[in-house]
Amino acid sequence: MFALSALGAFAALPPAPPAAAQTAPAPAAPAPIEADWHDIPDSEILVITLSGGRQVFVRLAPRYAPGHVANIRRLAAEGWWDGTAIYRAQDNYVAQWGDPTDAKPLPPLVIENPPAEYEWPQYDGVAGMSRPDPYAPRTGFSADGWPLGTDGKASWLTHCYGMVGVARDNPPSTGSGAALYAVIGHAPRHLDRNIALVGRVIQGIDLLSTLPRGREALGLYSTAAEQTPILSVRLASQLPEDERPRFQYRATDNPRFAAFIAARENRAEAFFVRPAGGADICNVDPGVRRLR
Amino acid sequence: MFALSALGAFAALPPAPPAAAQTAPAPAAPAPIEADWHDIPDSEILVITLSGGRQVFVRLAPRYAPGHVANIRRLAAEGWWDGTAIYRAQDNYVAQWGDPTDAKPLPPLVIENPPAEYEWPQYDGVAGMSRPDPYAPRTGFSADGWPLGTDGKASWLTHCYGMVGVARDNPPSTGSGAALYAVIGHAPRHLDRNIALVGRVIQGIDLLSTLPRGREALGLYSTAAEQTPILSVRLASQLPEDERPRFQYRATDNPRFAAFIAARENRAEAFFVRPAGGADICNVDPGVRRLR
């Protein structure tokens, strides 16, 4: 098989320097240790059940978008998304879900346009990428694994693959959170600081990325029959205790993760003849693990 | 509908500055004029016909990878791919096709491992991005629309969405071109300068990006039944004249394209509250058009 080999994030590969390396090869990154894994609270996990019982799991980011996440929790608590649909799939861009008719009233206590939560007045990144990218002078990860851009003052979540954001109309709309999208293509980083990002798909992204693409403008489906029905959306904390999925995030504030970034920036696997010396934050995913 | 609006590349949108713009808004980019469109030669178009008659079209890049493209032309001329399959689909990464058994002999005149064509000893870019990215000090487009990275001396094709590369084993293998992959996720730019890129999907990428993902390591399918049969692969020049698709690329060596880059870097559409001031080359696609 002519495989593109050596692509596993934590593969224990020989640390031998590639033949024509232009940069010093990094040592193979050590695997995370048990203490690096931390529970994601049940109140920060959204369980989206699609037709056929297939499930997508989203980790919420209440620290960065408290107003929008409060709305999303309320919408889940009310079962508001039950019977809605995925009504948009645009190739190399986003899949989007909510009420396709845009007519369903929001439940009480859901604020139609919360204050914009596009950036955060500090930077709490602990593990940084070596080089700037076109969208941020500096990028890095919060200790609990969120990808961030910063200009040295404010910081913001970055639109990496699988990130979930709040669809909105033109300003001053900020979106309620009733319509959400997930990134299913190359990171649309031009949306950073322009939209409230509220979480990331942690399992089931392939259910969204493989959806047939909509043929209308923006990837909207032409007919309701093409949409994917959403049976229910619940917080894990709403589910009976023995039915709750249990996920853990990987902490980034440790030397194992720093070595992982270095290994992604300077690929030492035998496959590579020329490590890049840098990497896009969206090509570095701390990952999660599911315990049950 | 809570659409993410204002996403069309050439949409004629009001040039009014967004409310909180931090950078001077660029004028709306003028549309390309007729003289900007140029025929892609029939000998540079690969027509891949999948089961059901669905077709994927690849534009070849003989200038950057002459040896590998010579192999690919020979393989197409011999009908070598007929009866092979797409045997790998890895989420957020690549779809790969060729002979799943890795047993089919190569035709005469196909060189098993041509010299590495991972970079080119000059840079012919004419339209550049404003900011560096983590993988290249400078990026830009050749006059005929190829995305390039450069260090000021050599240049190389960049692994943007839809780019097609030659799968290979560990060095010194460079791959023959019999196994090819297309990028279906976030640009795996760490592969730049490590693999021969030979073209880009110009129509039908959604046929690859929506494939069910393989469940084995690297996205390989577990069973042959999951693979997608390839009925035929031909150069357009092999087809009867009246069956040849006709595609044109957009030239980039003109002020319209320079304005397009500027407009992508500084989004002036009403949707945006904060243009980025820069953009990833993989978020700027010159595009092609199909005439028949």
Side-chain angles (χ1 to χ4, degrees), chain B residues 17-87:
Chain B
Q22 297 299 298
T23 51
I33 62 174
E34 274 303 303
D36 293 344
W37 296 105
H38 300 270
D39 289 345
I40 300 175
D42 295 338
S43 62
E44 295 181 9
I45 297 172
L46 213 51
V47 181
I48 303 172
T49 304
L50 306 177
S51 53
R54 300 162 300 158
Q55 292 187 313
V56 178
F57 300 87
V58 174
R59 179 188 181 192
L60 296 173
R63 184 164 73 252
Y64 300 104
H68 287 86
V69 169
N71 271 358
I72 288 166
R73 285 173 165 155
R74 172 64 55 180
L75 289 159
E78 298 280 342
W80 188 85
W81 279 293
D82 302 8
T84 63
I86 305 171
Y87 54 76

Side-chain angles (χ1 to χ4, degrees), chain A residues 15-231:
Chain A
Q22 297 301 298
T23 50
I33 61 173
E34 273 304 302
D36 293 343
W37 296 105
H38 299 270
D39 289 343
I40 300 176
D42 296 337
S43 62
E44 295 181 9
I45 297 172
L46 213 51
V47 181
I48 303 174
T49 304
L50 306 177
S51 53
R54 299 162 302 156
Q55 292 188 311
V56 178
F57 300 87
V58 175
R59 178 188 182 193
L60 297 172
R63 182 164 75 251
Y64 299 103
H68 287 85
V69 169
N71 272 359
I72 287 166
R73 285 173 165 154
R74 171 66 54 179
L75 288 158
E78 297 280 341
W80 188 86
W81 279 294
D82 303 9
T84 63
I86 304 172
Y87 55 77
R88 176 188 184 193
Q90 184 171 358
D91 197 58
N92 191 26
Y93 206 55
V94 299
Q96 186 170 318
W97 62 93
D99 171 27
T101 69
D102 199 16
K104 191 170 181 175
L106 295 175
L109 303 182
V110 171
I111 296 164
E112 192 151 355
N113 286 292
E117 294 173 320
Y118 304 158
E119 55 182 48
W120 204 50
Q122 64 185 86
Y123 174 65
D124 65 351
V126 294
M129 307 303 295
S130 295
R131 296 180 178 164
D133 69 42
Y135 300 95
R138 196 171 154 212
T139 59
F141 292 91
S142 67
D144 54 352
W146 292 104
L148 298 168
T150 182
D151 58 8
K153 299 185 291 271
S155 69
W156 53 89
L157 292 168
T158 52
H159 270 83
C160 295
Y161 193 79
M163 291 293 286
V164 174
V166 174
R168 64 163 173 82
D169 290 319
N170 281 351
S173 166
T174 66
S176 67
L180 296 172
Y181 64 88
V183 173
I184 59 165
H186 189 77
R189 297 279 305 281
H190 49 282
L191 300 176
D192 292 1
R193 310 176 91 178
N194 283 281
I195 281 187
L197 284 170
V198 292
R200 191 167 199 172
V201 175
I202 51 175
Q203 191 174 317
I205 186 67
D206 57 315
L207 298 177
L208 304 178
S209 61
T210 61
L211 286 170
R213 305 319 192 209
R215 298 291 161 193
E216 301 296 313
L218 306 175
L220 295 166
Y221 292 114
S222 315
T223 62
E226 294 169 271
Q227 297 170 354
T228 301
I230 293 177
L231 303 186

